[in-house]
Amino acid sequence: MSRGQAGAPAARRPVAPSPPARGRRGVPLRLTIALLVTVGAVVLLGMADGAASDDLAGADCATSPVTVADLSAVQTRNARAITEVARERDLDRSAAEIAVATSLAETGLINFANDGTSELYAAEIDRPLSDLERDVARRSLAYPHDEVGNNLDSIGLFQQRPTTGWGAPEKLIDPRSASGLFYDHLLKIPDWAAGVPWQTAQKVQSSPSADGGIYEKSYERAVLVVGALWAEPMCPSA
């Protein structure tokens, strides 16, 4: 009942509230319901936006399907892993450029397992692989890989070899572990950052290309790839 009716004589009071009074009481209720519905919708939209933002943030990580430069999705994933390891270890960008150039030259940024069927002669021993060495190389097949090769017992993105002391197949076939091993060898080279990049890569790899010429050919492309990946947000720690 409105305040205007409160002071009226009792005989003139209606038994039930007048329609205007009902209208004045009902308006605030409808407004309240409308406001609650509106606020609820805004909250739901905000939650949806937040979820979308989380999805976008996740897409920036090492598993992102976004490609860089002229690389395929597989090549981009492997280049991203190499670059991420360098950043996690607080290495200079040039370290990642040397590593990516090396993998481009060795495998085209493809992670190769080894089926142990090579008939090539290893220069350092002047003979084919032994049965044991073939079996060791084949262990790489049990782990995730992109393709299968048979270049001696070479494994992974950098074609690192168990027989020359690079490590166990399960380490060499993992892109992050293989990248870490590459950087371990790189950091053992005195004043490596001041050297010619492709010649530094040759010192790490000891490839048949004595002057590092195969790495020189891929170096310019590697600089572009690393430049794009270096600008990405780093993956959150596990």
Side-chain angles (χ1 to χ4, degrees):
M1 185 179 294
S2 72
R3 292 180 183 230
Q5 292 172 324
R12 298 179 61 186
R13 291 178 186 169
V15 175
S18 64
R22 285 199 304 272
R24 284 191 293 272
R25 285 198 300 269
V27 169
L29 179 60
R30 289 197 297 272
L31 285 173
T32 300
I33 293 173
L35 285 171
L36 288 172
V37 171
T38 302
V39 170
V42 170
V43 170
L44 289 173
L45 286 172
M47 292 172 65
D49 287 344
S53 296
D54 290 343
D55 290 342
L56 289 173
D60 288 331
C61 202
T63 56
S64 169
V66 178
T67 58
V68 298
D70 59 346
L71 302 182
S72 69
V74 170
Q75 290 173 310
T76 299
R77 181 193 67 214
N78 291 329
R80 186 174 280 117
I82 295 170
T83 304
E84 280 286 339
V85 173
R87 296 173 72 185
E88 290 168 4
R89 295 178 63 162
D90 292 324
L91 297 178
D92 190 79
R93 177 168 157 175
S94 61
E97 293 169 349
I98 293 171
V100 170
T102 299
S103 183
L104 277 169
E106 294 283 356
T107 64
L109 285 169
I110 300 298
N111 191 29
F112 279 92
N114 192 310
D115 64 8
T117 62
S118 175
E119 294 299 331
L120 297 175
Y121 274 57
E124 70 278 0
I125 53 178
D126 193 29
R127 63 168 172 79
L129 297 175
S130 68
D131 289 343
L132 177 60
E133 291 164 342
R134 295 178 192 281
D135 287 341
V136 171
R138 289 190 187 102
R139 281 164 46 190
S140 61
L141 294 168
Y143 299 90
H145 54 274
D146 301 323
E147 296 183 22
V148 176
N150 67 345
N151 180 14
L152 292 173
D153 58 334
S154 302
I155 296 170
L157 290 174
F158 302 95
Q159 293 293 275
Q160 297 155 330
R161 296 175 54 200
T163 56
T164 57
W166 275 98
E170 53 267 32
K171 296 293 185 181
L172 306 184
I173 197 62
D174 178 80
R176 291 180 58 84
S177 294
S179 298
L181 290 169
F182 182 91
Y183 294 129
D184 287 343
H185 282 67
L186 175 68
L187 295 177
K188 292 177 182 178
I189 299 172
D191 206 17
W192 66 267
V196 178
W198 45 91
Q199 293 177 357
T200 299
Q202 172 62 29
K203 291 177 181 178
V204 173
Q205 294 290 105
S206 299
S207 77
S209 174
D211 61 353
I214 62 170
Y215 309 121
E216 181 180 7
K217 294 176 182 177
S218 61
Y219 181 72
E220 184 175 347
R221 188 181 181 197
V223 170
L224 295 176
V225 170
V226 173
L229 294 173
W230 207 263
E232 292 183 349
M234 286 190 66
C235 293
S237 301

